[in-house]
Amino acid sequence: MPETLGTSRLLALDKQHVWHPYSPMPGQAAPLVVDSAAGVRLRIAEPGGGTHELIDGMSSWWSAVHGYNHPVLNEAARAQLDRMSHVMFGGLTHEPAVRLAARLVEMTPEPLQHVFFSDSGSVSVEVAIKMCLQYWRSLGRPLKRRLLTWRGGYHGDTWQPMSVCDPDGGMHALWSGALPRQVFAQAPPSGFDAPPDPAYAAHLSEMIARHAHELAAVIVEPVVQNAGGMRFHAPAYLATLREACDEHGVLLIFDEIATGFGRTGTLFAAEHAGVSPDVLCVGKALTGGYLSMAATLCTSRVAEGISRGEVPVLAHGPTFMANPLAAAIADASLNLLLEQDWQREVKRIEARLRDGLAPASDLPGVRDVRVLGAIGVVQLDHRLDAAAMATATRAAAREGVWLRPFGDLIYTMPPYIATDADVTRICAAVRAAATAA
């Protein structure tokens, strides 16, 4: 075993060498050092020695739905590790990947039938886009190569996904002049329970009709626009997209990397609308937060169209595609999810979030409070700079909770195993963070 670094030494080396996400180099604020984690709690190492615990209100960026150090997932990892940790997937296959693919097809809406594995959510979106572009090229229509989405979305940090994030004020606005130029509809009206706006539905249909000759696909996050602003919209707009895509010969991609596996109260967010896409992206909670893995599912129509083309293969092959260790854990994680009454747990968390966050509406500087499933959002009337975000994070930590605000949002996505007392404490921390911000 390597010698354990002391916390002070670890932080010094971190500042010198480690570049954290969406942070300058070197970092301006020291990160918290996680010594270990169990259940919903992170054990934080203190620079002067000792530890303290924080409830993780973020589910490790929405992935650790079962919490940490879960005995079932630990055992799945150990058992697979004794067999093999990895083998290339080109020309080979193995039981964990086959079992997981069959499980995903069983869980997801019809008529999705085929599963392409990758190692991150962003890459699963790259694969989805490539599928759609290659589909139309294989059918002899190579000019259908643009994508339509609505404003306010976020689909990842790699190249094509960045091109369908909001180009004005979004997380990747810096690259708007270099990225492929896509087609952007207006952002969907806010409100999951709001009556659908016929004028907006007509706007979506008109945009698809006008650009159908050049569109390979429409791509959206169903029901919840996540890192683009944590906005909720009426499910009916998904049905509008499905109808317009069918009418005008355009494929439909749903990005459920953040919303899949129960987060919004249905197993997949598209189920709120009763529609299915041609291509579906899943990730994050797929492995219960243990290892990075994602998947892109498609219909037989898409797969067969590609297979009839000049290049009759999907031209993509990640080195760690279908990693057996990740696949075995993912299969165990999905079993764990389905064997429990996950809907009841998500509804319980939703009720607690509604009660606990409602008082935030009366706080100065708060524009909106909204809850859907195991998602709670407090939106401020101003954006937070780095100093204000750090202040808000410290305020939450003083309440015993880890939160990571961004933009004008202080939000939480608790693990499904969070108790009522845990969620009550998370809500108090969100309110404290909003007050401090």
Side-chain angles (χ1 to χ4, degrees), residues 100-116 128 131-132 222 242 251-256 260-261 267-271 274-282 295-304:
L100 179 58
R103 171 59 58 86
L104 287 171
V105 169
E106 179 185 349
M107 291 176 68
T108 53
E110 292 281 355
L112 299 165
Q113 289 293 315
H114 309 289
V115 183
F116 191 97
M131 279 181 177
C132 296
R242 180 72 277 176
L251 297 175
L252 180 60
I253 304 169
F254 284 166
D255 175 353
E256 293 236 24
F261 309 112
L267 201 54
F268 296 93
E271 294 176 31
V275 299
S276 180
D278 301 294
V279 182
L280 175 71
C281 300
V282 295
T296 307
L297 289 84
C298 72
T299 64
S300 295
R301 170 195 171 196
V302 172
E304 291 168 4

Side-chain angles (χ1 to χ4, degrees), residues 241-263:
L241 293 176
R242 180 72 277 176
E243 292 168 6
C245 286
D246 288 343
E247 181 179 355
H248 298 288
V250 177
L251 297 175
L252 180 60
I253 304 169
F254 284 166
D255 175 353
E256 293 236 24
I257 294 163
T259 55
F261 309 112
R263 181 58 70 175

Side-chain angles (χ1 to χ4, degrees), residues 82-162:
D82 287 340
R83 298 178 65 183
M84 61 178 170
S85 61
H86 183 62
V87 66
M88 66 182 287
F89 211 53
L92 301 173
T93 194
H94 48 79
E95 183 176 351
V98 174
R99 288 173 63 91
L100 179 58
R103 171 59 58 86
L104 287 171
V105 169
E106 179 185 349
M107 291 176 68
T108 53
E110 292 281 355
L112 299 165
Q113 289 293 315
H114 309 289
V115 183
F116 191 97
F117 290 111
S118 58
D119 42 17
S120 77
S122 184
V123 175
S124 77
V125 176
E126 293 276 7
V127 171
I129 293 172
K130 184 179 285 187
M131 279 181 177
C132 296
L133 296 177
Q134 192 171 344
Y135 171 83
W136 291 112
R137 185 171 290 271
S138 295
L139 268 59
R141 302 190 65 183
L143 295 182
K144 286 175 70 70
R145 60 190 181 202
R146 295 183 76 189
L147 304 167
L148 184 145
T149 188
W150 46 37
R151 291 186 177 273
Y154 172 82
H155 298 279
D157 296 340
T158 54
W159 202 246
Q160 284 282 9
M162 286 199 302

Side-chain angles (χ1 to χ4, degrees), residues 341-362:
D341 192 347
W342 62 268
Q343 283 184 306
R344 183 185 65 185
E345 296 305 308
V346 171
K347 287 180 179 178
R348 174 184 60 80
I349 292 172
E350 181 179 49
R352 286 286 172 174
L353 289 174
R354 288 191 189 280
D355 289 345
L357 295 182
S361 298
D362 298 326

Side-chain angles (χ1 to χ4, degrees), residues 57 230 232 263 349 353-354 357 369-378 410-414 430:
M230 303 303 297
F232 309 155
R263 181 58 70 175
I349 292 172
L353 289 174
R354 288 191 189 280
L357 295 182
V369 176
R370 48 189 180 268
V371 173
L372 178 65
I375 307 170
V377 183
V378 172
I410 299 170
Y411 74 101
T412 179
M413 287 186 166
V430 172

Side-chain angles (χ1 to χ4, degrees), residues 200-237:
Y200 181 73
H203 165 69
L204 290 178
S205 298
E206 190 276 331
M207 289 284 287
I208 293 171
R210 189 195 326 164
H211 293 277
H213 66 285
E214 59 180 343
L215 290 181
V218 171
I219 179 170
V220 297
E221 300 160 281
V223 176
V224 181
Q225 293 182 291
N226 293 277
M230 303 303 297
R231 300 171 71 246
F232 309 155
H233 61 80
Y237 300 127

Side-chain angles (χ1 to χ4, degrees), residues 148-189:
L148 184 145
T149 188
W150 46 37
R151 291 186 177 273
Y154 172 82
H155 298 279
D157 296 340
T158 54
W159 202 246
Q160 284 282 9
M162 286 199 302
S163 76
V164 285
C165 298
D166 198 315
D168 299 319
M171 296 173 71
H172 302 304
L174 171 68
W175 301 105
S176 59
L179 292 166
R181 294 183 61 192
Q182 310 296 9
V183 180
F184 288 88
Q186 298 169 18

Side-chain angles (χ1 to χ4, degrees), residues 16-107:
Q16 184 177 1
H17 299 298
V18 180
W19 205 330
H20 287 267
Y22 292 96
S23 297
M25 186 69 221
Q28 296 175 345
L32 300 180
V33 176
V34 181
D35 177 71
S36 62
V40 301
R41 284 166 171 76
L42 309 175
R43 182 171 290 111
I44 307 300
E46 299 169 357
T51 62
H52 67 278
E53 289 187 339
L54 296 178
I55 296 172
D56 181 8
M58 307 301 295
S59 296
S60 267
W61 268 337
W62 327 336
S63 63
V65 292
H66 306 299
Y68 299 95
N69 205 16
H70 197 289
V72 171
L73 303 188
N74 288 358
E75 178 54 34
R78 291 190 194 99
Q80 183 57 42
L81 196 59
D82 287 340
R83 298 178 65 183
M84 61 178 170
S85 61
H86 183 62
V87 66
M88 66 182 287
F89 211 53
L92 301 173
T93 194
H94 48 79
E95 183 176 351
V98 174
R99 288 173 63 91
L100 179 58
R103 171 59 58 86
L104 287 171
V105 169
E106 179 185 349
M107 291 176 68

